[in-house]
Amino acid sequence: MTKVKICGLKCENDIDYVNELMPDYVGFVFAKSKRQVDKFKAKQLIEKLDKKIKKVGVFLNRPLSELNEIAEFCELDIVQLHGDEPAEYCNQVNHNVWKAFRIKTAEDMKHIHQYDIKGCLLDTYVKDAYGGTGEVFNWDVASHISKENFVILAGGLKEDNIEKAIQTVRPQVVDVSSGVETDGYKDFEKMKRFIERVRKLND
């Protein structure tokens, strides 16, 4: 059963869309990004979010005390770390952790076992970028990892490649952002079709 995360919510329209479509997770980006929100905006949006949807905060190399304070303030369910955070840092986060690993070859996945985390997020390696690039990596290198790990698959997912992505990697969660946007804004119809396609594969 593959679940859906819609990442990069930043306005009330986005909340209206997800409350209607009910993905399993939504993401709020606290890292430098065109989708970045501060903790006050995120909290305001979260207060309008359906309580059944889990809230994920996306962080990048943030001082630990700041991260824990934001996660607490926004009542996040999961903290998603996209930077160079070591295992010791992850162990001191006061919430469940998903750690992102940027993948180019199978070699890039060898570090996963060093972390004691709730989920490993596989994203595409792009030089000088920590996610959000909308680019796909070679899913074949990750085809066995979900047997032993809770896998969140990200990186360039959209309606027309999601079936192949799920069949190849068998992730527990698929994470989409730019793939359900038009001109930088979340697109209700794209979100609807993406979620429907994933759920149809689960039937």
Side-chain angles (χ1 to χ4, degrees), residues 147-165:
K147 290 177 184 166
E148 298 168 11
N149 299 274
F150 186 93
V151 171
I152 305 97
L153 181 63
L157 300 179
K158 49 192 172 193
E159 179 193 353
D160 59 9
N161 67 12
I162 192 60
E163 192 167 337
K164 185 179 181 199

Side-chain angles (χ1 to χ4, degrees), residues 59 61-71 79 81 85 88-94 97:
F59 297 88
N61 298 333
R62 197 75 174 249
L64 186 63
S65 58
E66 275 182 32
L67 178 144
N68 279 328
E69 192 272 321
I70 293 169
V79 164
L81 302 175
E85 300 89 358
E88 312 85 79
Y89 178 104
C90 297
N91 296 340
Q92 295 176 73
V93 173
N94 296 334
V97 171

Side-chain angles (χ1 to χ4, degrees), residues 113-173:
H113 72 272
Q114 298 168 7
Y115 288 81
D116 180 17
I117 47 179
K118 290 291 181 188
C120 52
L121 183 140
L122 308 182
D123 202 353
T124 307
Y125 176 87
V126 176
K127 193 175 185 306
D128 301 325
Y130 286 93
T133 63
E135 295 190 31
V136 172
F137 67 91
N138 175 10
W139 296 320
D140 290 329
V141 302
S143 59
H144 300 297
I145 192 170
S146 65
K147 290 177 184 166
E148 298 168 11
N149 299 274
F150 186 93
V151 171
I152 305 97
L153 181 63
L157 300 179
K158 49 192 172 193
E159 179 193 353
D160 59 9
N161 67 12
I162 192 60
E163 192 167 337
K164 185 179 181 199
I166 289 173
Q167 287 168 350
T168 307
V169 181
R170 303 278 173 200
Q172 282 78 4
V173 181

Side-chain angles (χ1 to χ4, degrees), residues 48-63:
K48 296 181 166 69
L49 183 69
D50 190 295
K51 300 289 179 268
K52 293 190 280 293
I53 302 173
K54 292 198 179 304
K55 309 168 294 291
V56 183
V58 179
F59 297 88
L60 174 68
N61 298 333
R62 197 75 174 249

Side-chain angles (χ1 to χ4, degrees), residues 183-194:
D183 298 329
Y185 292 94
K186 292 290 182 276
D187 181 315
F188 179 82
E189 290 302 327
K190 285 184 180 177
M191 290 164 70
K192 183 171 186 279
R193 291 196 301 269
F194 184 91

